[in-house]
Amino acid sequence: MRLLKVATCNLNQWAMDFDCNMKNIKESIARAKEAGAVIRLGPELEITGYSCEDHFLELDTITHAWDCLKDLLLGDWTDGILCSFGMPVIKGSERYNCQVLCLNRKIIMIRPKLWLANDGNYRELRWFTAWKQKDQLEDFLLPHEISEALCQKSVPFGYGFIQFLDTAVAVEVCEELFTPIPPHADLALNGVEVFMNASGSHHQLRKLDYRIRAFISATHSRGGVYMYSNQQGCDGGRLYFDGCSCVVVNGDMIAQGSQFSLRDVEVVVAQVDLDAVGYFVV
Ligand SMILES: NC(=O)CC[C@H](N)C(=O)O
């Protein structure tokens, strides 16, 4: 048996409230570790907050996000646990909505969002560029201060997955799940068993049902562990986010967090048997 314990969370982040956001992030990691989890997933853009709107255009916002990440990486937060953190990253002259994957005080990959949310209430294209190069990872030179502090010069940046000795893990960012050819389809064909979806998804009548159907359909025929993390509560804009972080395995919901909670941090932990994923064929 290949047992894996994973943790995802509902966090009540606030746009530009870096101190509050960091407090919640740290609390969620501490609880994930306490439960014995080796993967911790947080919501989309959790370091800055999702709804920073035109503050995303200010360089300071990105700089503060790096400072927060540095703080996390200089402490023991990522020791023995793969953490996926959401934050904006500038590469070249473009701003990307990214998941930064960290383990043992190092950044191991930066995964920019491929499909931005730009309909209904969403305007991500105003602040971010969608990453379109799917054929290869690029080398991203870390900002000078980060690279000095971490003794790490660069990190793979782009679309890909992380191959561990006993499983492969990949990120999917919110909207990507709802596209006609979601990344998890291609990733599953490459042996990825664990998918981490970081979201900033607002509440709308019957949307939870829609999301759950998507998690189930992502894993019910090809197999897989689908982790979902969502922002919880308002975050300064006009949207209300309804949490409901969960873990779905091979089409079955095995752990689900609350909806409409007033708690700032809720961690959802699940133990999964990866062999059940490996053997899963409908
Ligand atoms: N942040 C996003 O990508 C939002 C995506 C999607 N429209 C949702 O509400 O879940």
Side-chain angles (χ1 to χ4, degrees):
M1 268 211 268
R2 288 181 296 145
L3 293 180
L4 174 75
K5 205 173 250 188
V6 299
T8 176
C9 52
N10 293 337
L11 297 187
N12 181 15
Q13 306 302 77
W14 287 92
M16 305 298 284
D17 190 344
F18 292 89
D19 291 345
C20 157
N21 296 346
M22 282 293 279
K23 189 168 156 281
N24 292 345
I25 290 169
K26 287 179 173 173
E27 172 76 32
S28 72
I29 302 174
R31 286 205 224 158
K33 281 183 165 181
E34 209 175 281
V38 291
I39 298 183
R40 174 270 179 202
L41 169 68
E44 187 174 9
L45 294 167
E46 60 186 323
I47 291 182
T48 53
Y50 181 78
S51 308
C52 296
E53 304 195 350
D54 281 5
H55 288 295
F56 283 127
L57 306 178
E58 294 162 13
L59 281 181
D60 251 13
T61 306
I62 319 285
T63 307
H64 284 314
W66 278 113
D67 284 345
C68 292
L69 189 77
K70 185 172 86 179
D71 175 1
L72 288 164
L73 287 164
L74 289 181
D76 63 0
W77 300 100
T78 60
D79 289 358
I81 185 164
L82 172 69
C83 290
S84 183
F85 300 116
M87 63 177 260
V89 172
I90 293 176
K91 183 178 187 303
S93 54
E94 309 287 321
R95 220 173 297 96
Y96 298 96
N97 173 348
C98 295
Q99 285 297 302
V100 181
L101 297 164
C102 303
L103 175 65
N104 295 333
R105 307 181 193 210
K106 291 273 179 266
I107 306 175
I108 55 176
M109 179 180 173
I110 300 181
R111 162 63 156 86
K113 192 169 180 176
L114 309 172
W115 297 99
L116 300 179
N118 215 53
D119 56 352
N121 289 313
Y122 295 89
R123 296 289 176 275
E124 289 185 4
L125 277 170
R126 180 174 167 96
W127 309 295
F128 300 108
T129 300
W131 182 257
K132 289 293 167 213
Q133 288 95 290
K134 288 188 78 182
D135 46 346
Q136 64 182 50
L137 286 160
E138 293 189 5
D139 207 30
F140 175 80
L141 288 181
L142 291 167
H144 183 66
E145 218 191 295
I146 306 295
S147 96
E148 292 260 287
L150 305 183
C151 300
Q152 177 182 359
K153 275 206 167 69
S154 64
V155 58
F157 185 105
Y159 171 64
F161 59 89
I162 298 175
Q163 182 69 60
F164 290 98
L165 287 177
D166 43 9
T167 192
V169 176
V171 160
E172 191 156 72
V173 193
C174 198
E175 178 74 6
E176 293 173 0
L177 168 66
F178 306 102
T179 55
I181 308 179
H184 65 251
D186 181 38
L187 291 163
L189 288 172
N190 283 281
V192 173
E193 294 178 313
V194 182
F195 304 94
M196 301 187 281
N197 185 306
S199 280
S201 183
H202 72 287
H203 173 65
Q204 195 175 307
L205 216 55
R206 286 186 285 277
K207 199 195 216 177
L208 177 59
D209 180 58
Y210 180 63
R211 283 184 209 135
I212 291 176
R213 282 170 199 255
F215 309 146
I216 291 174
S217 100
T219 56
H220 93 288
S221 55
R222 50 180 81 86
V225 178
Y226 206 90
M227 300 168 63
Y228 177 75
S229 172
N230 196 13
Q231 152 77 9
Q232 166 68 58
C234 297
D235 74 342
R238 290 196 291 174
L239 302 183
Y240 171 80
F241 301 88
D242 60 338
C244 287
S245 296
C246 61
V247 181
V248 171
V249 179
N250 298 344
D252 294 323
M253 174 73 71
I254 62 158
Q256 187 173 11
S258 63
Q259 191 175 27
F260 312 131
S261 168
L262 293 177
R263 277 176 285 179
D264 288 337
V265 179
E266 186 176 339
V267 178
V268 178
V269 178
Q271 172 148 290
V272 299
D273 176 7
L274 289 174
D275 284 344
V277 173
Y279 291 129
F280 188 81
V281 181
V282 170

